[in-house]
Amino acid sequence: VQLQASGGGLVQAGGSLRLSCAASGRTWSNLSIGWFRQAPGKEREFVGAISRSGGRILYADSVKGRFTISRDITKNTVYLQMDSLEPEDTAVYYCAAADSRTGTRWYVAPTTANEYDYWGQGTQVTVSS
């Protein structure tokens, strides 16, 4: 499985960005997709995730109400719409996939990094004040 994250950039506080995570090598029904971020000097943290079914989506409290995860199966892509961005959202954002072959269940949206099997390369998001 290969993951390609894109869409990062520089935006002013209050602005929006949409990140994309394109997957290849497995069908979406076999993958739960998660978004994580890592700011300089900080540990990688969970942002949000969508289950294999697409019916369960979870968010970290810090982004709830501002970020939205969606999926386009026809394009093999998961999106992270980020609105009302704050300087504290500045980080490298990663998408990750948890595969059914390693036990990820249909309605599970994993929230910890060690539950994921594959990682994309990351995309930088910088929010200026």
Side-chain angles (χ1 to χ4, degrees):
V1 175
Q2 292 188 328
L3 302 173
Q4 181 72 37
S6 61
L10 173 64
V11 64
Q12 289 187 332
S16 299
L17 282 174
R18 188 178 76 162
L19 305 184
S20 300
C21 178
S24 60
R26 289 282 274 167
T27 60
W28 284 109
S29 63
N30 293 302
L31 300 176
S32 292
I33 300 295
W35 287 96
F36 291 78
R37 66 186 183 186
Q38 188 166 19
K42 296 187 177 181
E43 294 186 353
R44 188 170 299 189
E45 66 172 350
F46 172 75
V47 174
I50 182 169
S51 64
R52 289 170 54 201
S53 69
R56 182 170 178 83
I57 302 175
L58 299 178
Y59 299 97
D61 288 343
S62 58
V63 306
K64 200 173 294 183
R66 300 188 298 122
F67 290 11
T68 304
I69 292 174
S70 62
R71 185 174 74 176
D72 187 336
I73 294 176
T74 64
K75 297 181 179 180
N76 290 339
T77 301
V78 169
Y79 301 100
L80 178 66
Q81 177 67 41
M82 305 186 295
D83 298 318
S84 301
L85 283 162
E86 304 168 352
E88 294 73 23
D89 295 317
T90 296
V92 177
Y93 284 70
Y94 300 88
C95 63
D99 199 321
S100 62
R101 289 184 292 195
T102 57
T104 300
R105 291 177 289 177
W106 183 244
Y107 290 112
V108 172
T111 60
T112 60
N114 62 7
E115 296 179 272
Y116 287 86
D117 305 298
Y118 310 103
W119 291 81
Q121 84 288 1
T123 184
Q124 176 71 46
V125 172
T126 303
V127 184
S128 62
S129 57

